[in-house]
Amino acid sequence: MGRWCPRLRFVERQRTRTLYRAAGSLRRDTTRRATRDGFRPEPEVRPVLRMSTLFLRTLREDPADAEVASHRLLVRGGYIRRAAPGGFTWLPLGWIVYRNVERIIREEMDREGFQEVHFPALLPKDPYEASGRWADYGDNLFRLQDRKGADFLLAPTHEEMFTLLVKDLYSSYKDLPLVIYQIQTKYRDEARPRAGLLRGREFVMKDSYSFDIDDEGLQASYDKHRVAYQRTFDRLGLPYVIVSAMSGAMGGSASEEFLVPLAVGEDTYVRCSACDYAANTEAVQVQPPAPIAFDGLPAAAVMDTPDTPTIQTLVDLFNARPELRHPDREWTAADTLKNLVVKLRNPDGTSTALAIGVPGDRDVDLKRLEAQVGPAEIEPFSEEDFAANPALAKGYIGPGALGLENASGIRYLVDPRVVDGTAWITGADQPGQHVMNLVMGRDFTPDGVIEAAEVLPGDPCPRCGSAMEIARGIEMGHIFQLGRKYAEALGLTVLDENGKTRVVTMGSYGIGVSRAVAAIAEIGCDDKGLIWPREVAPADVHIVATGKPTDPQLPAAEQLAAECEAAGLRVLLDDRVGVSPGVKFNDSELLGVPTIVVVGRGLADGVVELKDRRTGGRRDVPLAEIVGLLRDA
RNA sequence: CGGGGAGUGGCGCAGCGGUAGCGUUCCUGCUUUGGGUGCAGGAGGUCGGGGGUUCGAAUCCCCCCUCCCCGACCA
């Protein structure tokens, strides 16, 4: 890393940019890339994009197979085109937008001193076999064979390759810390690709990996990414919520997701209405209530409760029968303890039964459960399984039979709300019988606690106790302290200052690049079309020439476009002849360049119309002032 | 992988045993030029694929593929 100092380079870049801008010879956000030899500016002037020759066809109607706004509008606006199940072709405008997004991400990575590399997407099986992921990844992994029958895969992420690369080249603590990243096409054989770019089987991801000697170093690398991601999403114009995520069985500790709040998103998260707590539902930790003393609690009693197969019928029965009624109030589902038995399919192919007890007013959330028991997968407990375990009375299962020490021998875990001294109505392990006043800690003792009950709106925040709300979002980024799992599996060690071998600790950090394009489109659009933030837009200004082919508007627009180009602005010029103004206006709104200039009937008075795509606001501006206005905008 | 819907010119749709249609797009000519202008002429389709039934299949039957929506999984 020695000689190359990105931080310094960045400062230098800023300075040069200011100079260029002052000279009016550089477009505002010109792309400049870091290389070992210094900064190499791209061509300083981008030629005007002319709609008369642009490889573009906008559609008058929505494509029928597109549901979400971003998919609909990106196809209709001629940005992308479906080419394969879960795969899209980028057309010229789309590719410009895509590269802008990529550039912003790259700049923010480089700014932190992270270094870019590039792996193949097509990889041999061996490293993934060594890490165990060849088996663990399951059907989502694209697998193929070469002509000799050797196994390959199309990489879904590159932890193994990064780990091996560093192992290849580095062997001393002096080489660390290190962060390297790539922007790569990734492949996942999604069961259901959908929503256009939001979830494809081929997509582009920026993934970076940090390598540190100790936990403090890992934390520092993690924090750097956190900050870099915040800056990146700000520049992309994407609102986001940072939520705690499950690091689960992956062996990591800290893990956070950057979610863009969108109803079309597939991630459910909770957010506190009072404090800044936010978490993926899988990661929500319930705050257990205080235990209750056993003194004075009535004794448990078994009751005949025929025809009560559901929680609701059970509660109704208890409220209806005088001898079962609660002395002070109506019974509710929250007074019951619901017990569910599932089968865990372990990665090694074996199965274990697991029983879960949750308050009867909520269901078991299979996603939360799976996050807790991963990498095992959940299967329903079948009729045959019930038959094989006679201690279980289906529909009347209770703590009396559950537990490693009890008749069923099935491990029994309960919700954190089930604390010592709480009394429950629950199954009595005999058909048609329930037990009431069964007290936790006195009458039964489960094998442990599990976070598997569903999270409901209004549940108390684990941090401050205020009511939480539930929202949907799309995962745009994930930062994750991997720890030593991959380094251990693949033997990545370095010598420390005492000459002792140390296993390196790692972090992995991803941003969905192609997904970001869709998310930005989704966030910004309206019923007329797309609205890009300026930095990712395909142009700074969309100049529309109206009037007959022989009118002065077209030459005036050409002239204006040339002046803008010279001033460093990126221009999209609608110079199509014989296209009516209505069509041009509609296209300009569909395409979503943030600023639109109409060279039209005001030209006779020396003015053009300046339109803001987002607000719809428009005003006449003297032709002579327009370039300055745009440049300073 | 379960449940539901659908595949017919670039796009949107109709046709549901008897010669493949409409709108839009595209091409030509005229017309129009501040919100998808009007008129006329034209181009463009292995009716998702394969098998079967039938004198005859876009249409009926079987298998497969693909797309969309809701669930189970992921940036």
Side-chain angles (χ1 to χ4, degrees):
Chain A
M1 331 224 312
R3 266 164 292 152
W4 184 63
C5 173
R7 182 82 236 173
L8 234 163
R9 291 295 188 184
F10 181 74
V11 172
E12 187 181 307
R13 168 169 42 152
Q14 292 293 61
R15 196 169 51 226
T16 343
R17 180 190 288 193
T18 315
L19 285 172
Y20 272 107
R21 198 189 293 175
S25 61
L26 183 67
R27 73 167 212 257
R28 296 177 71 253
D29 59 344
T30 206
T31 305
R32 327 193 96 223
R33 291 198 46 204
T35 70
R36 281 236 166 227
D37 308 319
F39 282 87
R40 171 171 49 82
E42 283 193 355
E44 289 171 2
V45 174
R46 189 186 82 180
V48 170
L49 284 177
R50 294 165 186 280
M51 289 192 54
S52 59
T53 52
L54 188 62
F55 184 51
L56 169 75
R57 184 109 303 146
T58 57
L59 304 180
R60 186 195 282 251
E61 287 166 289
D62 284 334
D65 61 355
E67 182 70 14
V68 302
S70 60
H71 186 194
R72 230 173 49 224
L73 294 171
L74 287 170
V75 172
R76 196 144 86 82
Y79 284 80
I80 60 169
R81 200 90 191 142
R82 198 190 82 90
F88 287 85
T89 305
W90 297 93
L91 301 180
L93 286 183
W95 192 236
I96 292 171
V97 169
Y98 166 83
R99 286 195 342 258
N100 287 338
V101 169
E102 198 183 278
R103 188 197 72 241
I104 289 170
I105 294 170
R106 184 174 276 123
E107 283 177 4
E108 294 303 333
M109 291 289 105
D110 291 348
R111 189 205 285 238
E112 288 294 341
F114 305 159
Q115 301 173 66
E116 186 171 2
V117 298
H118 198 79
F119 284 90
L122 177 66
L123 300 172
K125 168 173 82 164
D126 297 19
Y128 287 77
E129 189 110 81
S131 69
R133 287 211 299 176
W134 178 260
D136 289 353
Y137 224 95
D139 291 338
N140 269 8
L141 192 64
F142 264 110
R143 299 156 205 266
L144 58 163
Q145 293 188 328
D146 70 4
R147 62 174 74 199
K148 288 177 277 186
D151 288 315
F152 283 81
L153 59 94
L154 293 173
T157 60
H158 282 73
E159 278 83 356
E160 289 82 353
M161 303 310 291
F162 273 84
T163 309
L164 288 171
L165 181 68
V166 174
K167 180 186 175 183
D168 247 7
L169 297 174
Y170 276 8
S171 49
S172 160
Y173 74 97
K174 292 184 203 162
D175 296 321
L176 305 182
L178 170 71
V179 176
I180 44 183
Y181 75 95
Q182 67 172 341
I183 293 175
Q184 239 294 12
T185 306
K186 307 285 185 182
Y187 297 87
R188 286 186 199 169
D189 190 357
E190 292 284 349
R192 178 154 89 96
R194 65 167 176 185
L197 249 28
L198 282 176
R199 183 209 277 204
R201 302 162 96 192
E202 176 181 292
F203 58 96
V204 178
M205 183 165 106
K206 186 287 302 176
D207 50 330
S208 34
Y209 302 86
S210 66
F211 301 86
D212 285 278
I213 188 84
D214 54 25
D215 294 349
E216 293 72 48
L218 172 56
Q219 186 64 47
S221 296
Y222 182 89
D223 292 342
K224 277 182 150 188
H225 274 92
R226 203 171 191 276
V227 171
Y229 276 29
Q230 288 174 290
R231 261 196 328 251
T232 303
F233 293 129
D234 286 343
R235 281 181 70 185
L236 291 175
L238 284 173
Y240 58 87
V241 198
I242 303 178
V243 304
S244 321
M246 249 339 262
S247 41
M250 292 297 283
S253 43
S255 170
E256 288 170 300
E257 284 172 6
F258 286 69
L259 300 184
V260 175
L262 277 174
V264 298
E266 353 177 61
D267 275 39
T268 309
Y269 68 101
V270 298
R271 182 164 48 184
C272 177
S273 54
C275 73
D276 62 351
Y277 177 82
N280 206 311
T281 46
E282 282 96 316
V284 172
Q285 302 275 329
V286 173
Q287 280 301 98
I292 300 165
F294 298 147
D295 316 337
L297 292 175
V302 175
M303 300 292 171
D304 281 325
T305 55
D307 303 321
T308 52
T310 65
I311 292 290
Q312 191 53 51
T313 52
L314 178 66
V315 170
D316 290 345
L317 180 96
F318 267 72
N319 283 325
R321 292 247 210 101
E323 74 275 20
L324 299 177
R325 290 186 71 100
H326 190 284
D328 311 318
R329 60 175 173 90
E330 296 269 295
W331 293 107
T332 71
D335 295 308
T336 68
L337 182 62
K338 180 158 64 181
N339 298 296
L340 176 78
V341 186
V342 296
K343 250 190 330 189
L344 302 184
R345 172 162 288 283
N346 303 311
D348 62 10
T350 61
S351 290
T352 346
L354 176 69
I356 296 122
V358 298
D361 59 335
R362 38 188 97 218
D363 285 324
V364 168
D365 181 332
L366 290 178
K367 267 183 144 172
R368 299 195 73 211
L369 176 58
E370 206 140 52
Q372 297 292 328
V373 300
E377 285 173 32
I378 298 186
E379 289 179 3
F381 206 70
S382 66
E383 292 296 336
E384 297 82 71
D385 295 319
F386 272 106
N389 199 326
L392 300 176
K394 195 175 180 201
Y396 300 89
I397 302 173
L402 300 171
L404 295 168
E405 306 299 322
N406 292 324
S408 70
I410 294 175
R411 195 163 131 85
Y412 182 43
L413 303 175
V414 298
D415 186 76
R417 295 171 190 83
V418 182
V419 295
D420 277 354
T422 50
W424 301 94
I425 297 170
T426 188
D429 301 304
Q430 293 297 328
Q433 291 196 330
H434 280 87
V435 57
M436 64 189 295
N437 293 319
L438 194 75
V439 172
M440 165 76 179
R442 182 189 72 183
D443 304 322
F444 71 101
T445 308
D447 299 311
V449 170
I450 189 164
E451 291 279 0
E454 66 181 331
V455 179
L456 298 173
D459 277 356
C461 167
R463 194 174 295 163
C464 74
S466 306
M468 296 194 297
E469 50 201 43
I470 293 189
R472 306 264 286 171
I474 180 129
E475 186 178 357
M476 281 307 314
H478 195 164
I479 53 178
F480 187 179
Q481 298 191 11
L482 278 180
R484 298 188 166 80
K485 169 183 162 141
Y486 290 92
E488 243 152 36
L490 299 165
L492 170 60
T493 60
V494 293
L495 295 179
D496 68 11
E497 54 268 71
N498 302 314
K500 281 180 59 179
T501 298
R502 299 265 297 266
V503 177
V504 170
T505 183
M506 294 171 53
S508 83
Y509 317 87
I511 292 180
V513 183
S514 45
R515 176 179 278 188
V517 174
I520 295 166
E522 196 74 38
I523 285 286
C525 66
D526 61 19
D527 56 336
K528 295 199 185 86
L530 298 158
I531 309 171
W532 298 108
R534 180 148 177 184
E535 210 177 350
V536 304
D540 294 309
V541 59
H542 184 155
I543 299 176
V544 175
T546 66
K548 284 182 275 206
T550 50
D551 284 347
Q553 274 89 348
L554 185 56
E558 288 278 3
Q559 172 69 25
L560 177 60
E563 288 168 17
C564 288
E565 178 189 296
L569 291 159
R570 301 166 305 151
V571 181
L572 177 61
L573 173 65
D574 196 341
D575 58 344
R576 292 175 295 178
V577 294
V579 176
S580 77
V583 172
K584 292 187 174 184
F585 294 149
N586 281 324
D587 274 347
S588 72
E589 279 150 355
L590 174 60
L591 294 178
V593 172
T595 305
I596 299 162
V597 171
V598 182
V599 182
R601 57 187 174 199
L603 188 66
D605 307 318
V607 298
V608 295
E609 188 177 86
L610 183 64
K611 290 206 284 191
D612 182 298
R613 172 65 181 90
R614 186 172 299 277
T615 64
R618 48 170 94 173
R619 65 192 167 108
D620 285 340
V621 174
L623 188 56
E625 294 173 20
I626 199 86
V627 175
L629 255 172
L630 292 171
R631 198 175 43 202
D632 301 337

